[in-house]
Amino acid sequence: MVQSLRTGGLLVTMALLGTASVAVAQSTTSPNASPPPPPPPIASQPAKASPDMQAVLDALAALGPKPIETLTPVKARIQPAFPDALHAVMRRQGQSTAPDPAVTTQDLPYGSDPMQYARVYRPAGGGTKLPVVIYFHGGGWVIADVNAYDAAPRLMSKQLGAVVVSVEYRHAPEAKFPAQHEDAAAAYRWTLQNAGGWGGDAGRVAVAGESAGGNLAVATAIYARDNNLPAPVHILAVYPIANSATDLPSRRDSANAKPLNAAMLKWFGYFYTSSMADMQDPRINLVGANLRGLPPTTIVNSQIDPLRSDGETLAAAMRSAGDRVEQRTFPGVTHESFGMGKVVRGAYDQENFAIGRLKTAFAR
């Protein structure tokens, strides 16, 4: 199975970065670089979203974003996004969108580049020997930041009574692969060294992330294993990028899903890679990596998401490697649902499942 998935790496590179038989050169390092040619359309209709999930999708559409796959990175970064839609729905329901005061934050540098910093979330009541979660945000390694992905780390800090280190990293195309993975590894080392100063317990550290960040969480655990660093006690990967094959079921049935579609996957790949070979690198194509000896892992997926099969096949590959994995795909919700539990029941279920698994891991 793993060998067939590795073979699919070249195919997905061609699909993400060009088309079938003629490779298209990757982007320059300019954030104003033009987008790649669109991929051939796929005639498919995604599954129907639950009414509460659809309300967020409708709120996003009302904000008038342009298709990301038609934009330069600079313009894509200033588009209305799902957090804006979430806040619109919350305001409509009379909910406050102000940050929960039960958690405090502090931004701290872990490297010399301006993008190499982390937002450290801590329970407002303080404490010592608190569990630690190192969290990596999504955005395809090109867009988004710790501000856009505030909901999940804030919720984890509150419900787990934990220090949550939300890692910012350099973005492509200004810094292409493997810059993001190198930053994630540096932030992991930095957190282990400094957790005690924030009231955290360096012996109880988990890694977590969403989408591109879910990939970084798993890749960082592999890095820790291969570099003789203390292993995280748990991996939480929420709809991770993990499989470079093109014939995955979700690549087809959710090719036209929102807010993430197949054309956007090509757009991200075009900007964050430097060569055709990058998509076959096991740090991106995790199903082709050496997965033996990794910590217990939780994988969370959404039904209406072209990355759904990534998580499902990663779980299978990890089990084949002898790892303990629990994976669930939640119906009626889309990519980016995690963190929307205040307005979407399926997202609430995702969050409770993930946080429950982390609580169990920290209690051991």
Side-chain angles (χ1 to χ4, degrees):
M1 172 182 177
V2 170
Q3 180 59 42
S4 66
L5 294 173
R6 281 177 175 158
T7 303
L10 180 57
L11 296 176
V12 81
T13 307
M14 295 155 76
L16 288 176
L17 302 179
T19 62
S21 60
V22 179
V24 174
Q26 288 81 355
S27 74
T28 68
T29 57
S30 170
N32 291 301
S34 298
I42 298 176
S44 69
Q45 187 67 28
K48 188 175 181 180
S50 63
D52 48 7
M53 186 80 251
Q54 188 61 49
V56 183
L57 292 170
D58 292 343
L60 179 62
L63 295 172
K66 296 178 181 178
I68 283 179
E69 62 270 21
T70 68
L71 302 175
T72 66
V74 162
K75 290 184 177 179
R77 290 168 185 168
I78 60 175
Q79 283 271 94
F82 240 26
D84 304 305
L86 170 64
H87 288 168
V89 174
M90 290 175 65
R91 286 191 293 268
R92 191 181 309 147
Q93 295 179 353
Q95 296 190 51
S96 171
T97 60
D100 192 329
V103 175
T104 65
T105 64
Q106 180 182 16
D107 289 358
L108 298 169
Y110 65 87
S112 59
D113 189 277
M115 294 298 288
Q116 293 172 321
Y117 71 92
R119 181 160 296 166
V120 180
Y121 295 76
R122 286 177 284 185
T128 58
K129 291 294 181 179
L130 303 176
V132 179
V133 179
I134 303 174
Y135 169 89
F136 304 103
H137 69 75
W141 299 307
V142 178
I143 62 174
D145 57 17
V146 296
N147 297 308
Y149 282 82
D150 173 78
R154 191 176 293 274
L155 180 69
M156 286 190 283
S157 181
K158 180 179 180 179
Q159 293 202 0
L160 292 168
V163 175
V164 179
V165 181
S166 182
V167 178
E168 192 53 88
Y169 44 81
R170 290 170 291 168
H171 288 75
E174 298 96 318
K176 288 176 173 276
F177 172 81
Q180 299 77 25
H181 291 75
E182 292 169 349
D183 288 357
Y188 185 79
R189 287 179 176 272
W190 174 78
T191 298
L192 292 179
Q193 294 166 0
N194 292 279
W198 310 322
D201 180 358
R204 288 192 299 159
V205 176
V207 289
E210 298 179 53
S211 194
N215 171 284
L216 291 177
V218 178
T220 300
I222 294 172
Y223 173 86
R225 180 201 64 196
D226 293 346
N227 288 273
N228 298 315
L229 295 174
V233 299
H234 201 82
I235 302 169
L236 169 62
V238 181
Y239 28 74
I241 295 172
N243 193 325
S244 294
T246 57
D247 56 351
L248 301 172
S250 66
R251 292 287 197 277
R252 299 183 180 279
D253 64 47
S254 296
N256 298 309
K258 294 182 182 299
L260 181 67
N261 59 40
M264 288 171 63
L265 290 178
K266 175 191 172 183
W267 185 90
F268 287 123
Y270 176 74
F271 284 113
Y272 73 67
T273 56
S274 297
S275 70
M276 294 287 282
D278 284 348
M279 293 302 297
Q280 301 177 69
D281 190 290
R283 287 168 289 185
I284 293 176
N285 187 43
L286 291 172
V287 295
N290 174 9
L291 300 170
R292 294 188 181 279
L294 294 182
T297 299
T298 300
I299 301 174
V300 177
N301 286 105
S302 295
Q303 177 192 17
I304 312 165
D305 184 357
L307 293 180
R308 183 190 72 242
S309 297
D310 287 56
E312 294 169 350
T313 55
L314 176 61
M318 293 184 77
R319 291 188 190 110
S320 294
D323 301 322
R324 289 183 290 163
V325 184
E326 187 163 346
Q327 184 275 337
R328 290 189 191 175
T329 298
F330 290 77
V333 290
T334 70
H335 195 77
E336 300 289 1
S337 56
F338 199 79
M340 295 190 177
K342 290 184 177 180
V343 300
V344 178
R345 174 54 195 265
Y348 175 85
D349 293 340
Q350 288 178 318
E351 294 158 10
N352 277 357
F353 169 59
I355 289 172
R357 293 274 292 167
L358 287 172
K359 280 184 179 177
T360 299
F362 287 137
R364 287 175 179 154

